[in-house]
């Protein structure tokens, strides 16, 4: 056992390694409501799709909210006690969540699931880095952790899809129970109760600032999720939500600038250019990454793939994660150009969108989806690893926790709901535009249309339908085919534009010379997470 190992001395090193990786994988399975399973959970709960989507975002809000609190708890409590408490809470929440009958209760449980997951996840990452990244390399940090995180997330989505189809929506939470139980056993029996450093008093937290942060995050999620359904600012509810967001955001900023011990140090953004630029590019990244809704709509409504099969298609990104994230981490560890690596990442997004834009047709063979998924996985793995590395480089230890807050929060609390709202609204209007164009081409005097309807009516009449039933059935089939055509044409349009946007981003990174900032060794000697 290494001198700084959290395990008892009698625990063999290979077993320690297995336990650390296993505990991290267990946390990736605690995804709650995944983006693939929202519709099925909605059907199981009998709740609105939008409320379940807010629950999906609520888990991320809880995780980000807990980040500043975690760094204080970690200095006050020993690791063993902290993990035992929060793993027990995780286990309880995994049992409680499937018992929920109302959507907003489900949102609350998802929020607290994110809170407790933060502690277990960050502690697990700290143990992983202490074991395999003793030189505290920023490149190796993300090159090691992100493959575990992203691959676990893809597997969690697939297992949830499989469980929902073969059992019910509660399987989304039950799949995490074995991993959490094993993690709790490891913490109880294999981790020693010794303190790694000096105990630091748990100073008074800025709970008011924490409340304002949670308030404006949930208000933002509400506006982004319900906006399309309620016609955005035409709705008084959306205007109220936007007002609450502005109120919470403004008072959060004012509060953090004036209190002695703020919830988060906003001057981090002022002091470190790399944090500001990293956050901005992460926001931009999700605009060209968060497009699963379009792909899912095409596969389910046009190709008629079921929920489980759609989730299995997403698994094709795993080989790219396994190869390109560690490779990117090694290149960054050796201080290769951040600009060039980011250029490669956004260029791969460009290729992905231009290729996929030509694959929106109903006879598409499954094997043709493999290359685009490999490209998307490589593009995302390269860009997010590089941006995370860049944002964390040359940041002094005093501000590292705040940097992590902005980095993670920008992605999952801000970029995720906003990009989903933008892409969703864009896709909706693109479909409506295509529907209008198709309606102009189709009229009562259209011979092909009349021939199709006549043939369908005849087919249904031969099956025993009367005239009215045959007409209704034929019209329904026609409407379905028109809807499929709108989805395909809208998807082609959007993917072409997203390819152009990705190309613009790849050019932009080449123009920002500060992306290749000099690596200051003295500022990067400390570990990003306590071991």
């Amino acid at each position: 056992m290494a001198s700084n190992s959290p395990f008892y001395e009698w625990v063999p090193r290979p077993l320690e390694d297995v336990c650390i990786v296993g505990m991290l994988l267990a946390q990736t399975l605690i995804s709650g409501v995944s983006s693939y399973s929202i519709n099925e959970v909605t059907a199981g709960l009998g709740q609105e799709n939008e409320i379940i989507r807010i629950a999906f975002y609520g888990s991320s809000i809880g995780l980000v909210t807990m980040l500043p609190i975690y760094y204080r708890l970690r200095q006050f409590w020993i690791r063993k006690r902290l993990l035992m408490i929060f793993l027990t809470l995780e286990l309880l929440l995994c049992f409680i969540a499937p018992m929920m009958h109302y959507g907003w209760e489900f949102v609350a449980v998802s929020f607290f699931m994110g809170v407790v997951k933060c502690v277990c996840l960050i502690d697990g990452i700290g143990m992983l880095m202490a074991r395999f990244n003793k030189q505290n390399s920023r490149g190796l940090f993300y090159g090691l952790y992100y493959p575990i995180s992203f691959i676990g997330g893809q597997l969690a989505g697939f297992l949830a899809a499989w469980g929902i189809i073969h059992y019910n929506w509660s399987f989304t939470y039950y799949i995490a129970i074995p991993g959490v139980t094993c993690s709790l056993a490891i913490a109880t029996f294999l981790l020693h109760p010794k303190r790694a450093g000096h105990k630091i008093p748990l100073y008074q937290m800025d709970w008011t600032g924490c409340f304002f942060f949670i308030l404006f995050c949930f208000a933002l999620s509400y506006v982004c999720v319900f906006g399309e359904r309620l016609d955005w600012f035409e709705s008084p509810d959306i205007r109220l939500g936007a007002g609450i967001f502005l109120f919470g955001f403004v008072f959060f900023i004012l509060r953090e600038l004036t209190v002695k011990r703020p919830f988060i140090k906003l001057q981090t953004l002022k002091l470190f250019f790399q944090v500001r630029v990293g956050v901005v590019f992460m926001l931009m990244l999700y605009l060209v990454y968060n497009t699963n809704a379009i792909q899912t709509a095409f596969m389910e409504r046009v190709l008629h793939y079921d929920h489980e099969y759609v989730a299995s298609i997403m698994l094709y990104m795993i080989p790219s994660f396994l190869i390109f994230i560690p490779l990117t981490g090694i290149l960054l560890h050796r201080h290769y150009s951040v600009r060039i690596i980011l250029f490669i990442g956004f260029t791969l997004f460009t290729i992905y969108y231009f290729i996929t834009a030509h694959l929106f047709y109903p006879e598409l063979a499954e094997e043709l989806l493999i290359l685009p998924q490999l490209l998307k996985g490589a593009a995302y793995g390269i860009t997010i690893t590089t941006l995370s590395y860049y944002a964390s480089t040359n940041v002094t230890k005093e501000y590292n926790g705040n940097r992590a807050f902005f980095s993670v929060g920008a992605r999952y609390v801000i970029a995720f709901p906003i990009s989903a709202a933008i892409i969703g609204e864009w896709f909706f209007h693109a479909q409506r535009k295509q529907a209008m164009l198709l309606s102009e081409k189709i009229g009562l005097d259209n011979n092909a249309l009349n021939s199709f309807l006549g043939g369908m009516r005849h087919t249904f009449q031969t099956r025993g339908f009367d005239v009215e039933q045959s007409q209704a059935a034929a019209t329904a089939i026609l409407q379905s085919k028109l809807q499929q055509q709108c989805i395909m044409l809208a998807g082609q349009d959007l993917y072409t534009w997203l390819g152009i946007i990705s190309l613009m981003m790849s050019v932009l990174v080449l123009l920002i010379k500060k992306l290749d900032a000099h690596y200051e060794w003295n500022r990067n000697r400390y570990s990003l997470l306590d071991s």
Side-chain angles (χ1 to χ4, degrees), residues 141-275:
F141 179 97
Y142 295 106
L144 280 171
Y145 168 62
Y146 278 168
I148 298 174
S149 174
F150 297 154
I151 291 171
Q154 294 297 319
L155 291 174
F158 173 74
L159 290 174
W162 179 85
I164 287 171
I165 286 178
H166 296 283
Y167 297 96
N168 57 56
W169 71 270
S170 59
F171 193 84
T172 301
Y173 288 92
Y174 290 151
I175 60 172
I177 290 176
V180 176
T181 303
C182 291
S183 298
L184 184 58
I186 291 170
T188 304
F189 300 109
L190 300 184
L191 297 186
H192 64 66
K194 300 176 183 177
R195 184 176 296 279
H198 295 292
K199 181 177 181 179
I200 297 177
L202 190 62
Y203 293 109
Q204 182 179 1
M205 282 291 300
D206 178 23
W207 295 112
T208 303
C210 179
F211 168 77
F212 283 132
F213 174 75
I214 296 171
L215 180 68
F216 85 72
C217 286
F218 271 108
L220 176 64
S221 296
Y222 178 86
V223 171
C224 291
V225 170
F226 278 92
E228 182 179 327
R229 173 182 166 183
L230 300 179
D231 197 19
W232 298 102
F233 292 102
E234 295 297 321
S235 167
D237 291 338
I238 295 299
R239 291 197 295 269
L240 176 61
I244 294 174
F245 165 75
L246 289 175
F247 170 83
F249 182 76
V250 170
F251 275 82
F252 172 74
I253 298 297
L254 294 176
R255 175 80 183 177
E256 301 314 290
L257 291 175
T258 55
V259 297
K260 180 179 179 181
R261 296 189 181 94
F263 179 67
I264 197 73
K265 295 178 181 178
L266 298 179
Q267 58 264 44
T268 306
L269 294 173
K270 178 181 178 182
L271 294 174
F272 302 101
F273 174 84
Q274 62 270 38
V275 178

Side-chain angles (χ1 to χ4, degrees), residues 41-52 101-104:
V41 174
T42 301
L45 273 175
Q47 297 293 323
E48 297 173 326
N49 179 287
E50 289 83 1
I51 296 178
I52 307 304
H101 300 291
Y102 301 99
W104 293 111

Side-chain angles (χ1 to χ4, degrees), residues 48-49 60 84 119 198 223 232 292 296 304-305 312 328 398 425 440 457 462 468 473 518:
E48 297 173 326
N49 179 287
S60 298
M84 288 179 64
V119 174
H198 295 292
V223 171
W232 298 102
N292 281 341
T296 300
H304 302 294
Y305 292 167
S312 70
T328 302
E398 177 187 0
E425 185 73 7
E440 292 176 358
R457 284 196 300 268
T462 59
E468 291 185 0
H518 177 67

Side-chain angles (χ1 to χ4, degrees), residues 56-101:
F56 171 63
Y57 296 137
S59 177
S60 298
I61 295 172
L63 188 148
V64 175
T65 301
M66 191 62 189
L67 267 175
I69 303 172
Y70 163 79
Y71 283 99
R72 299 195 184 184
L73 290 179
R74 183 68 179 82
Q75 294 172 322
F76 181 75
W77 275 340
I78 60 174
R79 166 173 277 131
K80 183 184 183 80
R81 180 178 301 171
L82 196 65
L83 278 175
M84 288 179 64
I85 291 172
F86 281 86
L87 285 169
T88 302
L89 290 174
E90 270 189 339
L91 195 60
L92 291 174
L93 288 171
C94 285
F95 283 107
I96 291 173
M99 300 178 186
M100 296 294 99
H101 300 291

Side-chain angles (χ1 to χ4, degrees), residues 218-349:
F218 271 108
L220 176 64
S221 296
Y222 178 86
V223 171
C224 291
V225 170
F226 278 92
E228 182 179 327
R229 173 182 166 183
L230 300 179
D231 197 19
W232 298 102
F233 292 102
E234 295 297 321
S235 167
D237 291 338
I238 295 299
R239 291 197 295 269
L240 176 61
I244 294 174
F245 165 75
L246 289 175
F247 170 83
F249 182 76
V250 170
F251 275 82
F252 172 74
I253 298 297
L254 294 176
R255 175 80 183 177
E256 301 314 290
L257 291 175
T258 55
V259 297
K260 180 179 179 181
R261 296 189 181 94
F263 179 67
I264 197 73
K265 295 178 181 178
L266 298 179
Q267 58 264 44
T268 306
L269 294 173
K270 178 181 178 182
L271 294 174
F272 302 101
F273 174 84
Q274 62 270 38
V275 178
R276 297 196 303 272
V277 174
V279 165
V280 170
F281 269 99
M282 285 176 188
L283 295 173
M284 296 167 62
L285 167 63
Y286 270 74
L287 182 63
V288 296
Y289 172 71
N290 193 15
T291 56
N292 281 341
I294 301 174
Q295 187 175 348
T296 300
F298 169 68
M299 289 191 289
E300 291 184 347
R301 300 179 192 176
V302 178
L303 301 181
H304 302 294
Y305 292 167
D306 62 26
H307 174 63
E308 179 183 0
Y309 199 72
V310 170
S312 70
I313 296 296
M314 305 299 177
L315 296 179
Y316 287 124
M317 287 195 289
I318 288 180
S320 292
F321 291 154
L322 275 173
I323 296 171
F324 288 97
I325 295 178
L327 177 60
T328 302
I330 292 171
L331 292 176
L332 294 171
H333 171 66
R334 296 179 177 178
H335 310 312
Y336 277 69
S337 170
V338 169
R339 285 195 299 163
I340 298 302
I341 298 176
L342 276 180
F343 171 78
I344 293 172
F346 283 117
T347 300
L348 288 176
F349 270 120

